[in-house]
Amino acid sequence: MEIIISNSSGKPIYEQITLQIKGLIMSGELPPGEPLPSIRLLAKELRISVITTKRAYEELEREGFITTIVGKGSYVSENNTELVKEEQLRKIEENIENAVDYARQGGITLKELHEILDMVYKEE
């Protein structure tokens, strides 16, 4: 599992970790049941505070992406397919809202947006 931390990012380090692990889970690169590195090991690898890593894991657990078993470690949650789908839909909605905002600013009509969407969707 590769996580890249950017000190120049406007996002806190724990949030960068959280977003990247969510992305790995949603892409299937981290499948259900997969163990995550220990909090201490990940902190050491990233050269950050254990507290920061712990906060990221707590956030992931609170959102249902991982499960932590005391004394055993943290694992990708088994029952996260609906959660992953919900997260993907949330991101899609956010991107569509941004696209609509850009369209409005550029004077693009809803019909033109539909044509673009149809064209992009057919390319897949």
Side-chain angles (χ1 to χ4, degrees):
M1 177 173 79
E2 184 177 342
I3 294 177
I4 299 167
I5 300 299
S6 170
N7 290 326
S8 61
S9 170
K11 294 184 177 166
I13 293 173
Y14 84 91
E15 192 174 328
Q16 292 179 49
I17 295 168
T18 303
L19 290 171
Q20 289 181 56
I21 292 176
K22 279 185 195 178
L24 293 169
I25 292 170
M26 290 190 305
S27 72
E29 193 172 324
L30 284 175
E34 180 81 13
L36 297 178
S38 72
I39 291 171
R40 290 185 191 284
L41 177 61
L42 186 59
K44 183 178 177 184
E45 287 176 355
L46 297 176
R47 296 184 182 137
I48 60 172
S49 162
V50 170
I51 295 168
T52 301
T53 309
K54 186 176 188 319
R55 185 170 180 189
Y57 276 34
E58 286 172 346
E59 180 79 16
L60 288 163
E61 188 164 20
R62 184 173 42 258
E63 293 180 15
F65 282 90
I66 68 171
T67 303
T68 301
I69 302 170
V70 178
K72 293 198 174 199
S74 297
Y75 301 85
V76 176
S77 293
E78 293 287 343
N79 300 324
N80 66 354
T81 53
E82 285 300 315
L83 184 66
V84 167
K85 185 174 181 177
E86 185 63 34
E87 181 73 11
Q88 288 172 329
L89 288 171
R90 186 189 63 74
K91 285 186 177 185
I92 290 167
E93 185 178 317
E94 186 178 298
N95 286 320
I96 289 173
E97 286 175 3
N98 288 335
V100 169
D101 287 343
Y102 286 128
R104 283 185 182 138
Q105 291 170 9
I108 296 171
T109 67
L110 184 58
K111 183 180 178 187
E112 290 171 313
L113 275 178
H114 277 285
E115 290 170 2
I116 294 168
L117 183 58
D118 286 341
M119 185 177 65
V120 170
Y121 199 71
K122 286 178 185 175
E123 289 178 2
E124 294 181 3

